[in-house]
Amino acid sequence: MKRILTILCVLALIMAGSVTALAADASNTGQSASYYPISVEEYTYGDFDELRINKIYQLSLADDPSLISTEDFVRNGRRYYLLDMTRKDEVGVDIQTHTETVTQASDTNNLETILQRLDAEMEVTTEDGYVGILRLDHTSVQVTTDGYATKTNTLSASRSYPNLSEADISLIPKTIEDKGKTLTLGDVKWSESMDVDGEGNPVTRYTATASYTGTASSRYATGYTVSANYTGEVSKANCAVVTYTAIFGSEKAAEESTAPGGDEQHDPTSGQTGDTENPSSTETPDTDQETVDCSGLNGPLVIGVVVLALGAGGVFAFKKFRERR
């Protein structure tokens, strides 16, 4: 007999635990809001200064607006309820500062000439879709030399040496200086003329025309590269954000009775006993509290009752059987 009672108690405890767990699960089935407002605005509306609250949410185009909380709530003794929900696509223009560097070849390093050849402004479209007009930043213009080469020039000069007594090359200078360069004797041409000396005797005079040559090397730039920055603002239209505004109206929240439900108090003005509240009034349920759906508990409760009933019947039959014996 004691074993049977022990088994029944264990079954009762198991059923009680199952019901408690199911009730806890049922109380958590309500879906909570997935989004938080970016701002909450409290204000008065209308001639009667109705208190209202606007909750503003910003969602992406991929977000689900049905997850925005629209449940009633109580704040400072007033119940707030949803009046309306508005949507606004934030179609705006994103503006950024952009710099584009342009390079081009040049045959001169004269800055004035280069500035005349550069465009004052340019249109640009960036890889991510921004469009705008950029203007030349004159202070950013730079000129670099591509490289250097050496070239050699041939130099030449001639000299005339008249009144020479003989056509002797030794009378001609072997080198001369011309424009800072040293030239070497290359060729001599002679010419002669008749003259008389102081006694009247005929004398032959020679004139030498000497040619001198040389070389000069110079280093020069093979080319130039010009770089310049164009700077300005570029813009792109976008619609990446949707703004939802939940508008809540309000009314005075129902006051909960502080007196126990079955107690009666004496009314000194009427000489009668009765409830402190108006008998005809009914208590307003608290709409802020979530009701637990117990429909899912009916099956486990019925099973528990059946098990307990069968156990009790078995105990009763066992007792009768022992009494007859």
Side-chain angles (χ1 to χ4, degrees):
M1 181 66 180
K2 290 183 178 180
R3 293 182 62 184
I4 294 175
L5 290 176
T6 302
I7 293 172
L8 291 177
C9 291
V10 170
L11 289 174
L13 290 174
I14 292 174
M15 292 305 301
S18 301
V19 171
T20 303
L22 289 172
D25 291 340
S27 65
N28 293 329
T29 55
Q31 185 179 21
S32 61
S34 297
Y35 309 118
Y36 290 95
I38 62 170
S39 66
V40 177
E41 302 174 353
E42 299 188 36
Y43 62 98
T44 57
Y45 177 82
D47 297 335
F48 298 100
D49 292 339
E50 176 193 357
L51 293 177
R52 288 190 177 184
I53 288 179
N54 288 355
K55 294 185 177 182
I56 301 174
Y57 301 81
Q58 281 192 344
L59 278 62
S60 68
L61 295 177
D63 292 332
D64 184 5
S66 65
L67 298 180
I68 295 176
S69 176
T70 58
E71 300 295 328
D72 296 354
F73 60 92
V74 174
R75 176 179 293 186
N76 297 329
R78 298 187 66 85
R79 184 178 69 86
Y80 288 85
Y81 52 90
L82 182 68
L83 289 177
D84 201 358
M85 176 80 73
T86 64
R87 167 181 172 149
K88 180 182 179 183
D89 294 336
E90 299 293 340
V91 181
V93 177
D94 186 17
I95 299 177
Q96 297 182 359
T97 300
H98 182 73
T99 298
E100 195 86 8
T101 301
V102 174
T103 59
Q104 63 183 36
S106 174
D107 58 356
T108 179
N109 62 350
N110 184 277
L111 188 58
E112 183 177 355
T113 303
I114 291 173
L115 290 176
Q116 293 176 355
R117 295 177 180 178
L118 291 173
D119 295 330
E121 59 185 30
M122 62 178 294
E123 294 184 3
V124 65
T125 301
T126 64
E127 294 181 356
D128 46 0
Y130 287 83
V131 179
I133 297 178
L134 310 180
R135 291 174 175 78
L136 174 64
D137 180 5
H138 295 82
T139 62
S140 68
V141 178
Q142 294 183 353
V143 182
T144 58
T145 304
D146 297 337
Y148 292 93
T150 302
K151 65 179 179 179
T152 302
N153 297 323
T154 301
L155 306 178
S156 63
S158 63
R159 296 288 188 270
S160 179
Y161 301 99
N163 260 345
L164 296 178
S165 60
E166 294 180 7
D168 187 357
I169 196 172
S170 62
L171 301 176
I172 307 301
K174 301 300 184 289
T175 60
I176 62 171
E177 293 290 328
D178 185 72
K179 298 179 181 179
K181 301 294 183 181
T182 300
L183 304 183
T184 303
L185 178 63
D187 189 21
V188 178
K189 292 183 178 181
W190 299 93
S191 64
E192 57 184 40
S193 62
M194 298 302 295
D195 197 4
V196 293
D197 58 11
E199 297 178 354
N201 297 320
V203 177
T204 303
R205 297 294 181 183
Y206 298 92
T207 299
T209 302
S211 297
Y212 294 88
T213 60
T215 59
S217 298
S218 61
R219 192 166 178 256
Y220 65 96
T222 57
Y224 303 94
T225 297
V226 177
S227 64
N229 293 339
Y230 286 79
T231 303
E233 291 184 344
V234 292
S235 61
K236 180 177 71 171
N238 57 30
C239 180
V241 175
V242 181
T243 299
Y244 291 90
T245 302
I247 304 173
F248 290 87
S250 70
E251 63 183 7
K252 187 176 180 181
E255 296 181 359
E256 297 182 357
S257 175
T258 58
D263 294 345
E264 292 183 349
Q265 297 181 357
H266 177 69
D267 187 357
T269 59
S270 61
Q272 299 177 357
T273 60
D275 294 338
T276 57
E277 299 292 333
N278 189 346
S280 61
S281 64
T282 59
E283 183 180 358
T284 303
D286 188 359
T287 58
D288 291 333
Q289 297 179 353
E290 294 184 357
T291 59
V292 179
D293 185 7
C294 296
S295 60
L297 304 180
N298 293 335
L301 288 175
V302 171
I303 295 174
V305 171
V306 171
V307 171
L308 292 176
L310 291 176
V315 172
F316 180 76
F318 181 76
K319 291 175 65 178
K320 290 294 183 181
F321 177 75
R322 292 190 62 180
E323 289 176 357
R324 288 180 183 182
R325 293 182 59 184

